[in-house]
Structure formats: C-alpha cells, structure tokens
C-alpha cells in the first residue's frame, strides 16, 4: 500500500499542469461557444445531412490510408481544395444565415443583464395582431389561401420589389380583399412592415427542405423558404384545408389555434418592456436621488 502511494506521488510530481490564466479561460469559453453555435447550426440545417456524408467520406479515407491505397489517397489530396470550395458554395445560404443569427444574438446583453429592461420599440400594435388573427381565421373558414410575411429585423426589400406596392394600414378587411380569388392581388405573398401592408403578390424563395410533408404545396414551401433566409414570421392559410400555419426560422408549425397564432405574433411584436431590471431600477433610483441632491 505504501509502495502504491509512493509510486502515485512520484507519478503526480512528474505531471506538470500548465498554468491557467484569465486569457486561457476566456479562450476556452469562446471556443466552446463557437463549437456549440456550430453544432446547433449543423443540427437545424441541411448541413446535418452533409455532416453525415462527410463522416462516411472520412471513414473511407481512413480505410484507404490504413490499407495504403495510394491512388485513392492521391485523388483525394488533389480534389480536397475543390471539394472544400464546393461545400462553401453549396451551403452559402446556410452559412449566411448562421452569421446573421450570430449577429442578432445579444451576447453582451445576456452576460450583463443591465439592458434587459430597456424600453424597446414594438414592431406593431395590438390592433394589428387582432386584425391579422381575425383575417387569417376568417379566410381559413371560407378556404381562402393566404401567405403573409411579417418583417422583423432583416429588411425584405428585395422581395418587396417582386410585388405590387400597396402601402396601406393593415386591416382584416384589406387582407381578406387582397387574397380574394380571381382578384389581381391574390397571387403570391403580402409583405407586412410594422402596422402596414407594404406590398402584395410578392414572390418568395421556395424551401428545398426534404423533411417538409409531401402534401404541402408551393404556398407552404414559399412560407418556409422566406423564413430560412430571414428572421421573418410568415402566416400561411391553406386553401385546401383552411388550416393556419406559421413558418419561422425554417420551421413550420401547422394547424394553429387563434390563441397560438396570437401568442406567436405577440412574441414577434417585441412589445415595449416595462422596466423590470432590478439593476436598472437601482441605478435609476440612484440617478434620481443625485438629481434631487443637485437641485
Ligand atoms: N414562390 C412563391 N411566392 C409567393 N407565393 C407563392 C409562391 N409559390 C406559390 N405561391 C402561392 O401559392 C399558391 C399555390 O399554392 P399551392 O396550392 O401550390 O400551395 P399549398 O402549399 O398546397 O397550399 P394550399 O393548402 O393553400 O393549397 C399560388 O397561387 C401562389 O399564390
């Protein structure tokens, strides 16, 4: 037993742990954060399938390496630059989305909750939410198809240009009128910015997500498509079933109730937050106190 202790202490004394500074901890935290973001990105994009494919190719290379298949190794070596470039070109939309998502993350705010109670600009009013919910369910009831894109932080000007300019206050009657069959504006998507309908008959990019149900046609694919390339919230009313669905971040939630649609809209509304940060409260109180003292 004593021998074991001596051997162990001798072994431990030989082990030299590198000194860990603040910069190292910061470095580890940053690398972990980026690896985590990369994994989340992989999980929720087409890149997940690509990753599985890459793993198979890597396995193949490993086998070729172990068995010393020189011709295969030579081909792989010479094609590697081209393959890497093609991956970047093929997955350019996903890469762009990942960088956009990263840019939207309020990293500093989540570390320092000082601004969590900051008053933020609400995107649209409660009245607009009511009008949207009413219009969608009224249209659903009479099987009128609709596609409504609600712009958020990312400007959708390039899609707005594909449609006809409307620029009118959003009301349920106007929406119902736009999507009425056999009228000039009913085809394509309506774009909503704030409390206004800015354009109708907009053409949206179609999603090529293979996981979307085969029963869904181009209206739903277009709704999902725009949500893959922007942070918009898109409401889809099915002409076939009357179901109301919402597409956001490339995901489709089907068959929503009016309460569910309302809560999705409230989330997107970015409503003015009443000051709820304790720290902010304290700071404000102190500032007021100092103002009084100055008087
Ligand atoms: N790329 C697009 N951008 C905007 N709107 C589109 C696009 N593609 C199709 N649409 C709209 O979708 C309509 C066709 O819907 P389709 O029947 O194919 O879709 P769906 O998903 O099966 O929906 P529904 O349940 O309403 O039938 C078109 O008339 C057009 O208004």
């Amino acid at each position: 037993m004593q021998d074991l202790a001596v051997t162990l202490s001798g072994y431990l004394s030989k082990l030299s742990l590198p000194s860990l500074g603040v910069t190292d901890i910061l470095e580890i935290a940053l690398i972990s954060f980026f690896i985590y973001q990369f994994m989340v990105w992989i999980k929720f994009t087409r890149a997940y399938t690509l990753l599985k494919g890459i793993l198979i190719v890597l396995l193949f290379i490993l086998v070729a390496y172990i068995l010393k298949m020189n011709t295969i190794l030579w081909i792989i070596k010479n094609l590697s630059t081209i393959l890497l470039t093609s991956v970047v070109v093929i997955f350019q939309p996903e890469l762009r989305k990942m960088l956009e998502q990263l840019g939207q993350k309020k990293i500093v705010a989540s570390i320092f909750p000082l601004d969590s109670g900051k008053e933020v600009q609400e995107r649209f009013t409660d009245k607009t939410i009511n009008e949207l919910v009413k219009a969608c369910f009224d249209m659903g009831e009479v099987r009128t198809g609709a596609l409504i894109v609600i712009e958020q932080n990312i400007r959708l000007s390039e899609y707005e240009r594909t449609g006809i300019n409307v620029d009118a206050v959003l009301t349920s009657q106007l929406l119902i009128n736009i999507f009425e069959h056999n009228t000039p504006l009913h085809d394509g998507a309506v774009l909503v910015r704030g409390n206004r309908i800015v354009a109708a008959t907009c053409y949206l990019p179609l999603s090529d997500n293979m996981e979307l149900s085969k029963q869904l046609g181009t209206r739903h694919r277009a709704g999902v498509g725009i949500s893959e390339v922007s942070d918009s919230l898109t409401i889809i009313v099915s002409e076939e079933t009357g179901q109301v669905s919402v597409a956001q971040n490339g995901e489709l939630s089907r068959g929503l109730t009016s309460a569910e649609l309302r809560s999705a809209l409230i989330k997107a509304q970015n409503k003015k937050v009443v000051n709820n940060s304790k720290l902010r409260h304290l700071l404000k109180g102190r500032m007021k106190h100092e103002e009084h003292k100055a008087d």
Side-chain angles (χ1 to χ4, degrees):
M1 189 68 192
Q2 223 174 3
D3 280 354
L4 185 71
V6 170
T7 321
L8 211 65
S9 67
Y11 179 71
L12 284 177
S13 66
K14 272 184 205 156
L15 269 181
S16 66
L17 282 175
S19 59
L20 204 66
V22 178
T23 324
D24 301 314
I25 295 172
L26 198 69
E27 209 173 12
I28 293 169
L30 280 174
I31 292 171
S32 318
F33 175 76
F34 284 111
I35 290 178
Y36 175 73
Q37 288 298 330
F38 182 71
M39 283 163 75
V40 170
W41 171 69
I42 292 262
K43 181 96 181 68
F44 292 106
T45 59
R46 285 187 301 161
Y48 189 50
T49 332
L50 172 85
L51 186 75
K52 285 194 272 184
I54 287 178
L55 286 178
I56 293 170
V57 172
L58 285 178
L59 199 75
F60 177 69
I61 295 173
L62 189 72
V63 172
Y65 182 75
I66 292 168
L67 300 178
K68 296 201 170 35
M69 296 170 165
N70 291 329
T71 317
I72 292 178
L73 289 176
W74 181 85
I75 293 171
I76 289 165
K77 197 176 148 207
N78 285 287
L79 284 183
S80 58
T81 330
I82 301 169
L83 285 176
L84 213 70
T85 317
S86 14
V87 165
V88 173
V89 172
I90 294 167
F91 289 90
Q92 183 261 340
E94 277 84 2
L95 286 168
R96 196 177 80 172
K97 197 175 169 218
M98 182 185 71
L99 292 175
E100 277 171 2
Q101 278 177 349
L102 203 65
Q104 283 163 27
K105 290 232 157 65
K106 294 164 183 133
I107 301 165
V108 180
S110 60
I111 299 170
F112 306 107
L114 186 66
D115 271 336
S116 64
K118 197 171 87 178
E119 291 203 348
V120 284
Q121 191 73 46
E122 70 179 28
R123 292 196 183 98
F124 39 83
T125 59
D126 292 347
K127 182 177 174 289
T128 298
I129 294 184
N130 291 339
E131 299 289 330
L132 277 165
V133 174
K134 185 177 182 326
C136 291
F137 282 87
D138 283 0
M139 286 190 281
E141 233 165 68
V142 292
R143 303 280 194 274
T144 301
L147 185 57
I148 306 165
V149 184
I150 298 161
E151 187 182 82
Q152 301 219 59
N153 290 329
I154 298 173
R155 273 262 173 187
L156 300 174
S157 309
E158 57 182 299
Y159 304 102
E160 182 187 341
R161 278 195 289 273
T162 63
I164 295 166
N165 201 26
V166 176
D167 195 22
V169 173
L170 188 151
T171 59
S172 58
Q173 292 90 341
L174 181 57
L175 277 173
I176 293 169
N177 223 298
I178 287 176
F179 288 111
E180 187 61 42
H181 303 279
N182 305 323
T183 55
L185 297 182
H186 89 282
D187 226 4
V190 151
L191 180 65
V192 174
R193 182 173 299 139
N195 296 307
R196 301 181 78 80
I197 294 175
V198 287
T201 71
C202 299
Y203 185 78
L204 307 178
L206 295 180
S207 166
D208 51 10
N209 185 345
M210 305 293 249
E211 281 162 28
L212 281 180
S213 164
K214 294 280 177 291
Q215 299 164 346
L216 298 173
T218 47
R219 197 191 310 276
H220 289 83
R221 284 205 170 266
V224 177
I226 188 74
S227 79
E228 285 171 351
V229 294
S230 73
D231 61 347
S232 62
L233 181 146
T234 305
I235 310 172
I236 307 128
V237 182
S238 168
E239 192 175 353
E240 230 170 275
T241 62
Q243 271 193 348
V244 176
S245 308
V246 158
Q248 205 166 15
N249 299 320
E251 286 194 17
L252 186 71
S253 313
R254 294 172 68 186
L256 264 60
T257 62
S258 61
E260 285 168 338
L261 176 62
R262 187 179 296 279
S263 79
L265 287 168
I266 289 171
K267 234 171 140 186
Q269 187 185 21
N270 210 14
K271 205 176 167 74
K272 263 187 185 149
V273 182
V274 187
N275 199 352
N276 58 3
S277 155
K278 276 189 189 162
L279 189 53
R280 238 179 113 82
H281 237 89
L282 273 172
L283 285 176
K284 265 201 167 174
R286 220 177 110 179
M287 273 157 66
K288 266 196 184 153
H289 181 69
E290 274 161 17
E291 271 167 24
H292 277 304
K293 265 190 16 194
D295 290 342

